[in-house]
Structures are given as C-alpha cells and as structure tokens.
Amino acid sequence: MKIYTKTGDGGMTSLWGHGDIKRVPKDHLRVEAYGTIDEANALIGIARSFLEQDALTLDGMLSQIQNTLFALGADLSNVSPDREDRLEAVQIETMEQWIDDLEGHLVPLQQFILPGGHPSAAFLHQARTVVRRAERRLVPLVNADGSYALHLKYLNRLSDFLFVAARDANRAHHVKDIIAEF
C-alpha cells in the first residue's frame, strides 16, 4: 500500500461514518480542528524527545496524552451520529490529578512567566498555544454538535496541563522559569 492516494490533490479529504465516506474541503471545520490537534500532538512528541531521565513520570503522562489526542482526532473525523467516542470523563479527571501532582513539586507562581527554558519546556509551551487554537477551532463544531462538548473540555484542561508540564520540565532539568518583565 502506498502512502499517497492522490485523492486529496484537489483540496478535498474524507470523513467517515454512515458506512460510507463523505468528501469535504480540507479547510472544513472538522478538518481544521483535528488537524490542529495533530499539530499539537507532534509538538508534544518533540518535547518528549528532549526529556531526560529526571522527567520519566512526565514522559509517561505525555505518552498517554498523545494517544488520547490521536483518538480525539479520529472521533472528530467520524460524522456518524451513532459513533462511539473514545474520550471519557475519567481522562479529564486523571489529567486534573496530574496537574495537582505536578504543581506540588513547583514553586507557586508569583508572576507571569514567558515560554522557554529547557527545550522540552519550550516545546510544551508551544504545544499549549496550539491546543488553545484547537480549542478555538472546536468551539463552532460544539455549537453545531453538542456531542463534542467533552472533547472541548479535554482540550481546555490539556492547555492547563501543558503549562504546568512545561514548568515541571524546567524544574526536572534544573532550569528556572523565565519571569515576564513588564
């Protein structure tokens, strides 16, 4: 099987559901949303490649998140009204617990910080901003189809997690957060 199909050469792509394939423009709301989620997933992968031994716990969390983001994209590409989403509320609760656990190792924030520090932290900050964009892309879809509300909530919590994860990556690599001076 070849990786290229040539079916997207005219600016169209396929969604699935109802037992058949639905062709839509590549700038379709769904494609924008799951494409942005894919972009965030790639950035998390880059961040993970920079994590060192002291950050194995964080790496495990990020690995689970990458798999969830892949499933989220699959959910968004499925237009069937009777689809079974892979996302569950417990995944959001788990991420909230991770946030609390990571924050327990961090100095409480007294000031705003800038993205940066260790390369893993910098890429996690960038992933956070891309997740925020994915969230904005998903809002119109949720307004049209409320069944994706949990997906929106997941992305919102994920951006919070990635902020704390970036700070934890700096901590694990003995790099101070960059304080905003304004």
Side-chain angles (χ1 to χ4, degrees):
M1 181 174 156
K2 293 184 178 188
I3 189 68
Y4 58 89
T5 63
K6 301 182 183 182
T7 60
D9 291 352
M12 301 291 282
T13 192
S14 298
L15 301 175
W16 56 285
H18 298 294
D20 50 29
I21 295 173
K22 178 180 179 183
R23 301 288 292 169
V24 296
K26 288 187 177 185
D27 64 353
H28 186 277
L29 199 58
R30 286 178 183 276
V31 179
E32 282 287 337
Y34 71 69
T36 307
I37 288 168
D38 187 38
E39 185 180 346
N41 202 344
L43 287 166
I44 291 169
I46 294 170
R48 290 182 64 204
S49 74
F50 285 99
L51 291 174
E52 296 171 12
Q53 195 68 25
D54 291 345
L56 290 179
T57 300
L58 180 58
D59 185 61
M61 294 172 185
L62 292 169
S63 174
Q64 287 183 48
I65 287 168
Q66 282 192 284
N67 281 288
T68 300
L69 288 176
F70 193 82
L72 228 79
D75 289 350
L76 292 173
S77 70
N78 186 342
V79 295
S80 176
D82 57 344
R83 73 179 192 280
E84 291 186 31
D85 290 335
R86 294 158 183 87
L87 185 64
E88 298 177 7
V90 68
Q91 291 164 289
I92 296 169
E93 294 165 10
T94 297
M95 195 162 19
E96 289 170 348
Q97 184 61 54
W98 289 345
I99 292 169
D100 294 343
D101 292 347
L102 291 177
E103 282 187 319
H105 299 109
L106 299 173
V107 175
L109 281 178
Q110 303 293 321
Q111 298 167 300
F112 290 104
I113 63 169
L114 299 175
H118 188 270
S120 61
F123 280 112
L124 289 169
H125 278 296
Q126 187 177 11
R128 174 186 53 80
T129 66
V130 173
V131 167
R132 287 284 191 210
R133 181 165 22 101
E135 191 178 4
R136 292 189 303 273
R137 298 285 192 268
L138 190 54
V139 167
L141 184 57
V142 170
N143 289 339
D145 181 353
S147 69
Y148 292 103
L150 192 63
H151 295 70
L152 186 64
K153 185 175 181 178
Y154 182 87
L155 291 177
N156 183 269
R157 204 67 76 250
L158 177 57
S159 64
D160 296 333
F161 171 83
L162 290 171
F163 177 79
V164 174
R167 292 194 65 218
D168 188 65
N170 274 337
R171 179 202 58 78
H173 296 97
H174 311 289
V175 176
K176 290 185 178 185
D177 287 322
I178 303 167
I179 304 301
E181 298 176 17
F182 63 96

